Amino acid sequence: MSASPCEISWFSALCDDDYEFLGAPDPMLKSSWEHCRDIVMQAETGGFDNILLPSGYALGIDTTAFAAAIAPMLKRMALLMAVRVGESWPPQLARQIATIDRMLGGRLKVNIISSEMPGETLGSAPRYARTVEAMHILKTLLNGEPLDHQGEFWQLKLDPPRIGTLSGKAPQLYFGGLSPDAREAAAKGCDVYLMWPDKREAVAAIIADMQARAAAHGRTLRFGYRAHVIVRETEAEARMAADRLLSKLDDAQGAAIRAKSLDSQSAGVAAQAALRDNAGDDGYAEANLWTGVGRARSGCGAAIVGDPDQVLAKLNDYRAMGIEAFILSGYPHAAEADLFARHVLPNIDHALLT
């Protein structure tokens, strides 16, 4: 097992992704300032190290505005703010990041999403090439260095903004993607490579591949794992909670939800679908890894399901493979954050990734 603590993050459902029953929208769980604030404050109270603030153009509320609003309310937890490269002008984004980092006391991290511009259709290779340029620009400016960037997508000659981060350094950039273009972009520019759930051997293969790709660029990566979680006092209760989550979903409705997502055609989503298709009749791809969530959700589509000891063992197994950061979520998000905080968090060695 890794000797160093792992980072345990929760998830605030800024993109209309909170349910008691998957596929059955609940007006009380729709994304709003109040609801998403309450999830963040629950995670802060529960002792989580960090919380992902996701971003979607079509769904939910604006992530950067939300991060600025919530930052002064937090005493110790970090924010992992997702930013969509296609919607951003990097010098302005650098200034926003620096400002929010100072509001948060230096605890801001950034999840880079290789998005298109709203209304734009851009092929995979140029989209990820633009993302690599954006990460370079952000790191240069946020490290307090002058920028002379003559790229395909941006040509910029700038001094760094007057306001930098509290540390004077760029925050850690988290990034995920499974396609060859995405993997190369991560190897060139990110700090923490994020994976969605998969079987143990697939996770090990991705880590090995990404270590080799990063080494080819003279770099090293750290690894994160994004998954849902359902923890109850007994395994039987956890499995019942998983079944209950799907009890109001029909297949056509689930397919419509998945198709609506902006990332529904990505390599990562295809891998989640394959994991689900190859799972057992009960939806379990391997012990305590349940793929039912993906029946009504694009993106991360599997949950760690079990009693506190089983969930802890699963996390520690991933840590032994090289995972240093976990981004967890569950439905409804505030309630499941409380369950994980009480049943698992006190028993795992965790701290903010530095």
Side-chain angles (χ1 to χ4, degrees), residues 72-122:
M73 301 174 68
L74 300 179
K75 301 288 192 293
R76 46 151 214 91
M77 191 169 65
L79 292 177
L80 177 54
M81 180 176 79
V83 298
R84 302 179 67 80
V85 166
E87 297 170 34
S88 304
W89 188 58
Q92 180 190 26
L93 179 58
R95 192 172 55 171
Q96 291 170 331
I97 288 169
T99 303
I100 296 171
D101 177 80
R102 287 183 170 265
M103 295 167 70
L104 194 60
R107 302 188 308 277
L108 184 68
K109 295 159 180 264
V110 178
N111 178 22
I112 297 288
I113 300 174
S114 185
S115 76
E116 296 167 320
M117 191 78 77
E120 170 190 57
T121 302
L122 195 61

Side-chain angles (χ1 to χ4, degrees), residues 125-145:
R127 182 163 50 81
Y128 282 108
R130 181 170 65 185
T131 301
V132 172
E133 286 192 29
M135 289 192 284
H136 169 71
I137 293 167
L138 288 175
K139 283 190 171 185
T140 302
L141 293 174
L142 290 167
N143 281 330
E145 300 164 3

Side-chain angles (χ1 to χ4, degrees), residues 109-288:
K109 295 159 180 264
V110 178
N111 178 22
I112 297 288
I113 300 174
S114 185
S115 76
E116 296 167 320
M117 191 78 77
E120 170 190 57
T121 302
L122 195 61
S124 173
R127 182 163 50 81
Y128 282 108
R130 181 170 65 185
T131 301
V132 172
E133 286 192 29
M135 289 192 284
H136 169 71
I137 293 167
L138 288 175
K139 283 190 171 185
T140 302
L141 293 174
L142 290 167
N143 281 330
E145 300 164 3
L147 176 73
D148 187 354
H149 178 83
Q150 303 303 316
E152 180 184 353
F153 296 92
W154 291 286
Q155 296 82 42
L156 300 167
K157 194 164 187 176
L158 294 168
D159 289 329
R162 182 181 70 81
I163 296 293
T165 62
L166 203 59
S167 70
K169 296 293 184 184
Q172 288 169 324
L173 301 183
Y174 292 54
F175 177 89
L178 265 190
S179 71
D181 291 329
R183 294 185 191 214
E184 276 302 300
K188 290 175 182 176
C190 82
D191 302 299
V192 182
Y193 178 75
L194 295 174
M195 286 172 276
W196 283 338
D198 212 323
K199 295 173 79 167
R200 197 179 185 285
E201 56 270 24
V203 173
I206 293 168
I207 291 173
D209 177 64
M210 290 308 302
Q211 286 172 329
R213 287 176 186 265
H217 296 287
R219 306 184 68 242
T220 58
L221 293 173
R222 302 174 87 171
F223 294 94
Y225 192 83
R226 165 89 183 93
H228 306 285
V229 64
I230 300 173
V231 61
R232 297 294 184 272
E233 289 187 17
T234 68
E235 183 180 14
E237 288 175 288
R239 282 177 167 253
M240 282 176 59
D243 291 341
R244 181 179 185 273
L245 196 57
L246 291 183
S247 62
K248 297 188 178 181
L249 178 74
D250 66 66
D251 288 339
Q253 185 182 35
I257 291 169
R258 296 195 302 273
K260 190 170 64 173
S261 173
L262 292 176
D263 66 358
S264 61
Q265 304 304 312
S266 76
V269 170
Q272 293 294 282
L275 183 70
R276 189 170 64 251
D277 291 343
N278 293 320
D281 292 342
D282 59 0
Y284 286 81
E286 64 183 15
N288 304 108

